[in-house]
Amino acid sequence: MTIQRGPHARGDDEQPPPGHRASGERRRLAVLWGVVAVLAAGGVWVVATPHHRGAASGAPSGDKPTAQAAGAGQPVEPLTESQSFLAERYFPAQRGYDYDNYRARRSTAREGAECRGVQNDKARDLLAELGCQGWLGVALTRSDQPVASSVTVLRFLDEGAAARALPTVRDKAADFEFTYPEGMFAPAANVRPMSATRVELVGHHITLTVSRYLDQRVGEKPDDLLTASSRSAAAVAGQPFMWM
């Protein structure tokens, strides 16, 4: 006896029509690719987000990275005069100095907040009661003559304070250190090199300029070359502070 199946009955060994099967596969692939795209997008967000990096590394979470990022875009506060009182700012190493037949380059630079730091006797500050607020020192070496000039700039609160300190600096000029250029060293303690010294008031600064020969030759009085070198070097040193 033959058993006939109903029109909608289907055996286990029967397959759906080809068109139906292709349509189902396309839907499954579309869903799969959608999941992959979402995960990929999420993975990029996880890697690129600073908050997630901080949490993964054990750093405290919260809004700090965001606040720091916002702060980075804000204008930088200008430096105060004391913070910007640096030799490199006023006497850049790459600059050449040319003034009235005087040609020189800077080879050494230094600075300090305590004015006793540029004095020979560090135990006693000559300017302790005169309000010196910082110093910088540079060495200018002539390119046309065997002469080096040590320039020390002393900074004071105002022009009045600098003017009151001027006589002391002039009288005690020998008590301030000479800033030596590269290749030039301090002489022996009993050697007094020929020197030309010039002290000038420039705004609320004092410039102390001392010129010597590179070979540190001795002499009781400076010659014309050293005198002219100190005069020109002092003019170069005063220019950055003339209108301050």
Side-chain angles (χ1 to χ4, degrees):
M1 180 174 61
T2 301
I3 301 175
Q4 295 183 349
R5 296 178 178 146
H8 298 291
R10 186 171 73 240
D12 294 338
D13 57 345
E14 292 182 11
Q15 301 295 328
H20 177 77
R21 180 176 60 190
S23 176
E25 290 179 353
R26 283 196 298 270
R27 285 197 299 269
R28 287 194 298 272
L29 288 175
V31 173
L32 178 60
W33 281 113
V35 172
V36 171
V38 171
L39 291 177
V44 171
W45 183 88
V46 168
V47 172
T49 303
H51 174 80
H52 181 81
R53 284 202 302 265
S57 62
S61 61
D63 298 331
K64 287 187 178 181
T66 304
Q68 291 173 355
Q74 296 177 356
V76 179
E77 290 292 330
L79 297 177
T80 64
E81 184 180 351
S82 61
Q83 292 172 330
S84 61
F85 191 60
L86 304 171
E88 181 61 27
R89 178 188 179 190
Y90 294 104
F91 305 99
Q94 70 274 13
R95 179 186 299 171
Y97 299 93
D98 191 343
Y99 178 85
D100 193 20
N101 296 322
Y102 172 87
R103 296 177 179 83
R105 298 197 69 86
R106 192 210 87 185
S107 62
T108 305
R110 56 188 186 142
E111 59 268 319
E114 294 187 5
C115 292
R116 73 173 63 195
V118 73
Q119 298 170 32
N120 294 319
D121 185 359
K122 303 295 189 292
R124 184 172 63 93
D125 188 357
L126 298 172
L127 306 174
E129 305 299 328
L130 296 173
C132 185
Q133 297 188 329
W135 65 275
L136 61 81
V138 296
L140 302 178
T141 303
R142 293 192 65 161
S143 56
D144 55 344
Q145 298 289 344
V147 174
S149 296
S150 167
V151 176
T152 302
V153 182
L154 304 171
R155 185 176 65 86
F156 294 84
L157 178 62
D158 52 39
E159 188 171 350
R164 288 189 293 273
L166 185 62
T168 300
V169 176
R170 281 181 173 159
D171 292 343
K172 304 294 184 181
D175 291 336
F176 289 84
E177 294 179 344
F178 188 94
T179 299
Y180 293 95
E182 295 179 0
M184 185 176 178
F185 303 96
N190 59 341
V191 176
R192 295 291 181 268
M194 183 189 300
S195 301
T197 302
R198 194 175 186 91
V199 179
E200 293 186 352
L201 175 67
V202 186
H204 61 282
H205 300 82
I206 293 176
T207 61
L208 168 59
T209 307
V210 182
S211 297
R212 297 176 181 174
Y213 283 103
L214 294 177
D215 61 6
Q216 307 257 42
R217 68 189 66 173
V218 297
E220 293 296 328
K221 294 182 179 181
D223 58 15
D224 292 342
L225 179 58
L226 290 184
T227 301
S229 296
S230 281
R231 181 174 61 250
S232 297
V236 167
Q239 287 177 355
F241 310 100
M242 189 170 298
W243 306 109
M244 293 182 63

